[in-house]
Amino acid sequence: MKIVDVGAAVGIVALLGWTWLGPTLVKSVVSDPVIVVGSGERDSISAPAGEVSFVAPPSWNKQTTGRLGTAIYTSGDKSLYVEVVDGVTDIDRASQRRLAALSQSGITAAFDGAAATAGDGFTGKRCVAIQSSSKSTGTCAIVAKKESMVSVVSLGQSFGTQADLQPLLDSLELAKNAEDGDE
Amino acid sequence: MRSELTPGHLGHEFFRPDSALWWLYCALVTVGGIGLVLEVGPGLMSTSFTLWVIAPIFVITLVLFAALVLVTDPYRSRRRWMLFAAAIYGATVATWFSLKANNVVIAVVPRLLGNTEGSEWSAAIAGPTTEEWTKGIGVLLIMLVASRTLTRPMHALLVGGFVGLGFQMVENVLYAANGAASNVNSDLAGALSVTMMRSVIGISSHWLYSAIVGVGVALLLGRVVGARWGMGKRIGGCALLYFLGWGLHFLWNSPLPQNLLAVVIMPAKIVLSIVVLVLVVRFAWRQERAYLAGAQTAIAEGAGADKGIELPAPAVQTAIGTRKERKAERKTVKKASGKAGRKALDLHWRSYLNVLQAWDRRGTGIDEDRWVTGQVPLPASDTAEALG
């Protein structure tokens, strides 16, 4: 049996391959902008129920994530993830679900029994975290205030070198309009 | 010669192992299907209970939107096997390739626009760019595999609609799983809210964009009725329709303002999408009527070795009329013969359109049985009396 349409089939493969190849070529020529966090500089994450602001570690690089609600900072092999979600109705249940969500994103975490305190009335729990893809370990905290919940994860490849979470937690602030809206 | 074909010579428009395109389709669906399972399987497993609970909504949505696509086909141009193949392609190949490519685009956009703007606009840029492309290539592949039977813009519109529908259904499941996993309160609340929303607004979603792009693919391939289109016109027509599909998708994915304006803007996007689709469908219908009129004349006068055949009553011939003419005819028949008469007319129309559609497939080895048996099932010429 003679096979026909070989040229057309090759053309389709090339066109389909372009779906991934085109953006990959663009990505290779567009460098990731380096955004260095200034000393004392406040950053913020918007979520439908309100904006949460905080002070990220100075001199760390802020990464582009492409996701609203998430900020990532790096310094060498250390990384710091901050994520804001809202619509929380049951804080304990939501905290457990945030751990599960972290696990789905590749960070396995478990509460260590310690309470987490943070600025502006945010309270919650401390946890430990492992990211096997980067062979990193570290600490984390999940804190909440009203409907907003913030997850902060600090990872590093060397034990004990991770960034301290507490300064960032202490700097947390829920935007005024979010608080007004809830009252 | 056509009239010498027997059922033993009948071919299949999809099962074509002599074509590298058919093998490519099979390979892509296999790779895409496996790739998709590996990519999203763990996420689906972790929320599987919730997904099963809301599965009836997925099924109802699928049936409703499949019916909606077929509503655009009053002249019965549908080729069931090809629509099924289209939906499978959309659900596997287009979804998997788009997922992979979207990850890259979503990483690139914030680099170009900055983190905040990039995050807000990445879905608007990534979605249409990768998804309309992969779905459009699916339409092209299927139109090439079935080049003997998918010969007009209406065929491409339906194939596009079903590629998009397959894509849309898988995306609904993935969004539901994602909604379940990311909701802070419960799996069901997250999955249900996303699924209900997507089921309602799905009226102007992937099936619609791909139907529009599909007609563009037909133009590119020169699958038009009447005078041949030059290469420039074909490319121009394809580009216009591709960018219409892309533009509507971009508009839909664009961020909404965080205020009351969103309540107005979202319905406006849906209305605009439907208006564009109606314009494209009207073009496809005009093309289809031109073909049907030609087929009717050819059948009446006889062509090649076939003898002319007496056409059915004018009431039945109205099957190939405009929407307005068909509506008026149904109204007249209903007035004269009641609902039973109207139903009888619908059946005659259906039968007549099937015959006219099959006329185009003479000589392809597909559906030849309509012609080789010598029993062309045209409704009788005294149908008008039967209809009262």
Side-chain angles (χ1 to χ4, degrees):
Chain A
M1 179 172 59
K2 189 185 174 194
I3 299 289
V4 297
D5 301 328
V6 175
V10 171
I12 295 278
V13 170
L15 289 174
L16 207 49
W18 181 250
T19 314
W20 175 81
L21 191 62
T24 303
L25 284 175
V26 175
K27 189 182 174 187
S28 69
V29 296
V30 181
S31 58
D32 207 353
V34 178
I35 305 166
V36 180
V37 178
S39 180
E41 189 183 313
R42 289 195 82 79
D43 202 350
S44 62
I45 294 176
S46 294
E51 190 176 271
V52 173
S53 68
F54 51 88
V55 177
S59 305
W60 282 43
N61 293 330
K62 184 176 181 180
Q63 305 294 311
T64 54
T65 62
R67 294 194 307 271
L68 290 168
T70 307
I72 300 175
Y73 306 90
T74 57
S75 174
D77 64 1
K78 294 177 287 186
S79 55
L80 189 64
Y81 298 78
V82 185
E83 187 170 11
V84 178
V85 292
D86 54 18
V88 174
T89 54
D90 177 336
I91 289 178
D92 284 339
R93 186 181 167 89
S95 301
Q96 289 291 346
R97 291 183 64 79
R98 288 319 297 158
L99 279 195
L102 278 175
S103 171
Q104 281 211 339
S105 68
I107 299 172
T108 307
F111 290 120
D112 62 6
T117 55
D120 201 19
F122 276 93
T123 54
K125 299 174 183 176
R126 286 247 177 197
C127 47
V128 288
I130 299 170
Q131 187 177 45
S132 51
S133 62
S134 64
K135 295 178 180 163
S136 301
T137 58
T139 55
C140 52
I142 295 177
V143 294
K145 179 182 179 185
K146 296 184 180 291
E147 286 187 23
S148 298
M149 180 165 274
V150 183
S151 316
V152 187
V153 183
S154 175
L155 295 170
Q157 290 179 353
S158 311
F159 186 75
T161 62
Q162 301 87 351
D164 183 7
L165 292 178
Q166 200 55 48
L168 190 148
L169 289 171
D170 288 340
S171 70
L172 281 177
E173 261 182 35
L174 185 63
K176 185 77 171 63
N177 60 346
E179 299 195 44
D180 292 345
D182 288 343
E183 285 164 4
Chain B
M1 189 181 287
R2 291 180 182 127
S3 55
E4 288 173 358
L5 281 168
T6 66
H9 292 89
L10 302 184
H12 197 288
E13 62 195 310
F14 175 66
F15 181 69
R16 290 186 56 211
D18 65 326
S19 171
L21 290 165
W22 181 78
W23 287 104
L24 177 62
Y25 173 90
C26 295
L28 286 175
V29 166
T30 306
V31 171
I34 292 171
L36 191 63
V37 168
L38 293 176
E39 185 93 16
V40 302
L44 294 182
M45 288 301 287
S46 66
T47 54
S48 60
F49 177 77
T50 305
L51 295 179
W52 281 115
V53 169
I54 61 169
I57 303 175
F58 297 138
V59 175
I60 291 167
T61 310
L62 172 65
V63 171
L64 282 179
F65 285 115
L68 188 59
V69 180
L70 292 178
V71 163
T72 67
D73 179 35
Y75 301 113
R76 300 192 63 77
S77 317
R78 66 201 68 171
R79 303 296 300 155
R80 286 193 179 84
W81 263 106
M82 302 319 300
L83 299 189
F84 179 70
I88 295 294
Y89 174 96
T92 54
V93 187
T95 318
W96 184 59
F97 272 84
S98 298
L99 263 176
K100 302 299 279 183
N102 278 351
N103 288 338
V104 183
V105 178
I106 286 170
V108 170
V109 174
R111 292 184 183 185
L112 295 167
L113 301 182
N115 202 33
T116 306
E117 284 75 17
S119 301
E120 284 176 349
W121 287 92
S122 59
I125 294 169
T129 303
T130 64
E131 293 163 11
E132 294 317 316
W133 182 254
T134 53
K135 289 184 293 171
I137 291 168
V139 180
L140 178 64
L141 175 58
I142 288 164
M143 292 290 284
L144 289 173
V145 171
S147 58
R148 291 173 295 178
T149 55
L150 302 181
T151 53
R152 301 188 295 278
M154 195 63 222
H155 292 132
L157 186 142
L158 291 168
V159 169
F162 272 81
V163 166
L165 188 59
F167 189 100
Q168 192 171 326
M169 289 303 119
V170 170
E171 202 182 59
N172 280 1
V173 175
L174 299 183
Y175 271 75
N178 198 32
S182 60
N183 189 282
V184 281
N185 298 312
S186 84
D187 279 9
L188 190 60
L192 199 57
S193 57
V194 169
T195 302
M196 292 306 290
M197 172 67 109
R198 288 184 61 84
S199 298
V200 174
I201 62 176
I203 194 166
S204 62
S205 187
H206 288 282
W207 73 270
L208 183 149
Y209 312 136
S210 300
I212 293 169
V213 171
V215 175
V217 171
L219 300 187
L220 182 68
L221 294 172
R223 308 264 172 99
V224 288
V225 180
R228 280 177 67 87
W229 285 25
M231 188 52 81
K233 195 175 172 184
R234 284 159 56 180
I235 293 172
C238 177
L240 173 68
L241 288 166
Y242 182 82
F243 283 108
L244 270 178
W246 189 96
L248 290 174
H249 195 164
F250 172 82
L251 193 64
W252 182 255
N253 282 12
S254 302
L256 287 167
Q258 300 288 326
N259 54 38
L260 275 178
L261 257 182
V263 181
V264 179
I265 291 175
M266 191 181 266
K269 289 179 179 182
I270 294 176
V271 170
L272 179 66
S273 300
I274 292 172
V275 166
V276 173
L277 176 73
V278 167
L279 293 174
V280 174
V281 167
R282 284 167 68 97
F283 164 77
W285 283 359
R286 272 202 304 279
Q287 286 270 305
E288 204 61 14
R289 284 197 296 272
Y291 157 73
L292 292 168
Q296 180 172 264
T297 305
I299 288 173
E301 293 175 354
D306 300 314
K307 290 176 185 171
I309 297 166
E310 190 182 357
L311 291 177
V316 177
Q317 290 181 41
T318 315
I320 69 169
T322 61
R323 190 175 152 273
K324 206 171 167 183
E325 288 164 347
R326 285 161 57 100
K327 200 175 164 186
E329 190 62 48
R330 292 179 93 229
K331 201 172 167 185
T332 306
V333 169
K334 190 184 172 190
K335 205 173 174 184
S337 318
K339 276 187 182 175
R342 199 192 62 191
K343 278 186 181 172
L345 178 69
D346 286 344
L347 283 174
H348 283 301
W349 277 2
R350 193 174 164 157
S351 159
Y352 187 47
L353 287 169
N354 284 345
V355 171
L356 293 180
Q357 290 288 348
W359 180 262
D360 194 37
R361 295 189 285 275
R362 290 158 70 253
T364 65
I366 294 153
D367 277 357
E368 296 284 358
D369 52 331
R370 285 187 189 282
W371 304 99
V372 298
T373 59
Q375 295 173 344
V376 182
L378 278 179
S381 59
D382 60 355
T383 303
E385 290 171 24
L387 296 172

